[in-house]
Amino acid sequence: MMGYKGGLLAVFVLNFAFIFPTIYSAHGDISYTMTEEMKRGTVIGNIGKDLGLNVNELTARKARIDTKGTSKPYCEITVNKGDLIIAERIDREALCGKKPSCVLKMELVLEAPLELHRVSLHVQDINDNPPLFQNDIIKMEIGESTAKGARFSLDGAHDADIGDNAVQGYVLQTNEHFILNFETKSGARKHCELILEKELDRENHQHIDLLLTAVDGGSPQRSGTVAIHVTVLDANDNTPVFSQASYKASIPENAPLDTIVVVVRASDADEGVNGEVTYGLDHISDSGNVFSLDSKSGEVRVIGSIDYEEESSYEIQISAKDGLGLASYSTLMIDVTDVNDNAPEIYLKSLTNPIAEDVLPGTEVGIINVHDEDSDSNRQVRCSIEQNVPFKLIPSIKNYYSLVTTDKLDREQVTNYTVTVLATDEGSPPMTSTKTFQLSVADVNDNPPVFAEQAYKAYVSENNKRGSTLCSVTAQDPDWRQNGTVFFSLLPGAINGVPVSSFLSIIGDTGVIQVVKSFDYEQFRSFTFGVNARDNGSPPLSSNVTVSVFITDRNDNTPQILYPASEGNSFLTELVPKSSHGGALVSKVIAVDGDSGQNAWLSYQIIKSTDPGLFKIDLHSGEIRTQRDISETDNMKHNLIVAVTDNGQPTLSITCTIYLLISDNLSEVPELKDLSYDDNNSQLTFYLIIALVLVSMLLLTFIIIILGVRFCHKTKPRMIFDGAVAIPGAYLPSYAEGDGTETMRSAYNYDGYLTTGSRTSDFKFVTSYNDATLPADLTLRKTDFGDMFGDSEGSPEVRQFHCTNF
Ligand SMILES: *[C@@H]1O[C@H](CO)[C@@H](O)[C@H](O)[C@H]1NC(C)=O
Ligand SMILES: *[C@@H]1O[C@H](CO)[C@@H](O)[C@H](O)[C@H]1NC(C)=O
């Protein structure tokens, strides 16, 4: 815009005077002065230094320049130095028009804590606009009879600059008829007029051409010219006269097109063409095409849009001319009144998003700025949040609000908030606007995993397969991603002194617990262990749960026969007296089962018998009794095969064979070896017979010695037991329940019968045994007696037992 070199230099010198900052600082406000049209990047001042903030602080607190409302960002702050620099060319004329003082208002915003500094930049005018006439040519018609000294108003030149840079004077081309007169009227407008110095003579000069130059007071000076074309007319005596020296009107900014603002009127005393008034409109102060003036009626109408925010008043030159061109001028001042036509605008200046869910109530999460273009109460804005969200607005500085949390946040409940800010101005009617934005909540590892159950119970039957699933635990953690990812592990512990991990393993991410070793109900029946669930947060959170395992019994133990003893191939035979009556107790099978409950309920049955009608066994007690009296015709030898069966699923059983001999005397047994007709035992029997023969010979020798002794001591009584049998009287197994480790203890009461050969001196003794001490040879073996009694008269009864497992 600047014309020549000298001007540039002058402006530069001028700037220097102003750049050295004129800082006015009041209540944190700061102001600078700067001339318009400075280059981009020109330093206005060091705002950091002026506010006493160092560069680091400016960076940390996100220092920024916030220009009001929608206006362009003319200035910015260099974060590395804290300089306030020009960011955009500032044209004072575009910014402030004719206003004598042009101030650019900005705000320096600092966050954490929010701090606001008003920054005003006073923009100084430079003479960058020349005076301009509205038209290139001014046409005038002046009657030839016009008296000397008559004055003719001229439309002045317009200069966009202000003060000294505006129009200061006019220079008229030297001529013989006119001189120039100008005076300063109100509003600093230079009004100029031509004064007739020498009468015109139409016959001499029909036209006069003049050059009018307007000059401003700037340095360098600028000028504008207009040509004045005067047509010399015949006489016309009276000029039109406006009814008022100036007109004033006001109009609301929202006035529709064609609204009549005011009607101007001028009267002319002349008659006919000389008295016909035509109205005209000079150029409007800054913007044209807003008002029209009807040339006939004098009505001023709205033809363009008027906006208080753009232009709050207009000053218009109006003219009234009569038919022959005599004109007079007046001024029309139109004030525009503000109407609440601008809704508040809401700007989100800063927002923390997402917000960590553990922020305390009252934490600032955003800064909101509201702005209303209107003036006075129309620009007073109230701001609020309507929804039921844990956020509120706290009025901060001027039109700034802090968005703060009002409550604790919990991402597990609400992850996203939609916040709508409502701004209402105080106009009538009020205008509102809203702004909606999303706020999300970021996760914090604040929930430990929670097991689905408070304690777990698992049932497993013994002898379970290795690698089979015992049970599974589950836990929920509502946190996000790794903060909610759960891993399971076994807590250290021991079962009967053995680490849990050697019995069980857990799959970390599924919680499935597997068995590494199979369990034995007979060892322990229940145990507990702990499982830990831990999330993957940092630091991780965890919780524990107890799992109780109950081992259930399986029928894995076959009944064991304690009596008759199963070991060896001994020939134990029960002797049944011939005189036995029906129901007499003959023997008893004693068996135990390692299992428990039903699996250990034993039942006894005779599955094979030499004479099925003679003996019976009690199903539950295992007592063998005669069914009827023994008769002479009955066989002497009887074999009973007894099956002992438990009640498990499937049942397990064992059999044993009981040899019975109906006899009162062992000597009645014809062929002892026949007692054992088991093929498997035939060889053994053979050896036994050989042994028996040998022993019998020894016994014979022994008896001979005894007889010899007897002869010597005739007076001594003879005491020989020739037979003995121990018959169990009752069998009472008992378990100590609960500790799972108890050993089976059984108490046995045995009724032992010792029978003499004469059957007259039977007596009985009762003994108690522990199973651990129960000897396998509880009953006397045949061989023992064979040794003792050989073939003597009172030969012992022989019992033979043989048990078989199948
Ligand atoms: C998990 O929580 C921590 C704080 O405890 C947080 O820093 C992290 O971002 C969270 N992770 C995710 C994936 O949200
Ligand atoms: C879980 O048990 C372990 C071992 O007894 C213990 O160290 C830990 O503190 C427990 N954790 C919780 C959350 O109770």
Side-chain angles (χ1 to χ4, degrees), residues 425-439:
D425 63 24
E426 289 181 357
S428 151
M431 294 195 78
T432 57
S433 60
T434 57
K435 184 161 191 92
T436 302
F437 50 91
Q438 296 283 328
L439 275 174

Side-chain angles (χ1 to χ4, degrees), residues 443-445 480-483 538:
D443 188 42
V444 166
N445 191 21
W480 182 243
R481 295 262 167 86
Q482 71 256 36
N483 291 341
S538 154

Side-chain angles (χ1 to χ4, degrees), residues 347-368:
Y347 301 98
L348 202 55
K349 291 292 183 183
S350 138
L351 192 64
T352 312
N353 195 15
I355 311 163
E357 62 175 323
D358 62 352
V359 297
L360 294 173
T363 307
E364 181 182 279
V365 295
I367 297 169
I368 283 162

Side-chain angles (χ1 to χ4, degrees), residues 602-669:
L602 300 179
S603 55
Y604 304 83
Q605 269 173 315
I606 296 171
I607 53 171
K608 194 172 175 197
S609 167
T610 317
D611 183 354
L614 190 52
F615 298 103
K616 65 171 182 193
I617 190 161
D618 187 273
L619 187 64
H620 302 297
S621 68
E623 284 175 350
I624 300 169
R625 289 171 191 273
T626 51
Q627 289 203 69
R628 57 176 167 79
D629 294 354
I630 309 261
S631 66
E632 285 297 327
T633 55
D634 282 328
N635 240 338
M636 261 184 91
K637 295 176 293 175
H638 289 272
N639 301 320
L640 302 180
I641 298 176
V642 174
V644 182
T645 311
D646 63 22
N647 200 26
Q649 264 312 332
T651 58
L652 293 173
S653 60
I654 189 169
T655 58
C656 67
T657 310
I658 295 166
Y659 303 102
L660 298 170
L661 188 65
I662 300 175
S663 169
D664 291 335
N665 196 322
L666 199 65
S667 59
E668 288 176 25
V669 183

Side-chain angles (χ1 to χ4, degrees), residues 552-740:
T552 52
D553 187 41
R554 267 202 180 166
N555 194 24
D556 60 343
N557 287 288
T558 314
Q560 278 181 306
I561 291 178
L562 300 175
Y563 181 88
S566 57
E567 65 166 50
N569 291 313
S570 51
F571 298 88
L572 291 171
T573 305
E574 298 279 358
L575 206 63
V576 181
K578 280 182 178 160
S579 58
S580 298
H581 295 290
L585 181 66
V586 173
S587 183
K588 179 174 170 135
V589 177
I590 301 164
V592 290
D593 194 299
D595 297 316
S596 65
Q598 296 223 358
N599 293 337
W601 290 359
L602 300 179
S603 55
Y604 304 83
Q605 269 173 315
I606 296 171
I607 53 171
K608 194 172 175 197
S609 167
T610 317
D611 183 354
L614 190 52
F615 298 103
K616 65 171 182 193
I617 190 161
D618 187 273
L619 187 64
H620 302 297
S621 68
E623 284 175 350
I624 300 169
R625 289 171 191 273
T626 51
Q627 289 203 69
R628 57 176 167 79
D629 294 354
I630 309 261
S631 66
E632 285 297 327
T633 55
D634 282 328
N635 240 338
M636 261 184 91
K637 295 176 293 175
H638 289 272
N639 301 320
L640 302 180
I641 298 176
V642 174
V644 182
T645 311
D646 63 22
N647 200 26
Q649 264 312 332
T651 58
L652 293 173
S653 60
I654 189 169
T655 58
C656 67
T657 310
I658 295 166
Y659 303 102
L660 298 170
L661 188 65
I662 300 175
S663 169
D664 291 335
N665 196 322
L666 199 65
S667 59
E668 288 176 25
V669 183
E671 299 164 67
L672 200 57
K673 70 174 201 287
D674 286 356
L675 283 172
S676 165
Y677 50 82
D678 194 328
D679 289 343
N680 294 341
N681 295 329
S682 56
Q683 201 154 20
L684 185 71
T685 314
F686 174 71
Y687 288 125
L688 280 169
I689 288 167
I690 288 173
L692 196 65
V693 168
L694 283 172
V695 167
S696 299
M697 283 164 71
L698 273 170
L699 188 70
L700 201 67
T701 320
F702 180 66
I703 287 170
I704 289 165
I705 291 164
I706 295 230
L707 285 175
V709 173
R710 201 175 162 180
F711 278 119
C712 294
H713 309 281
K714 252 197 154 95
T715 50
K716 277 198 171 169
R718 176 179 169 239
M719 276 225 1
I720 293 170
F721 295 121
D722 57 352
V725 68
I727 297 167
Y731 168 54
L732 300 165
S734 77
Y735 293 99
E737 294 287 339
D739 61 1

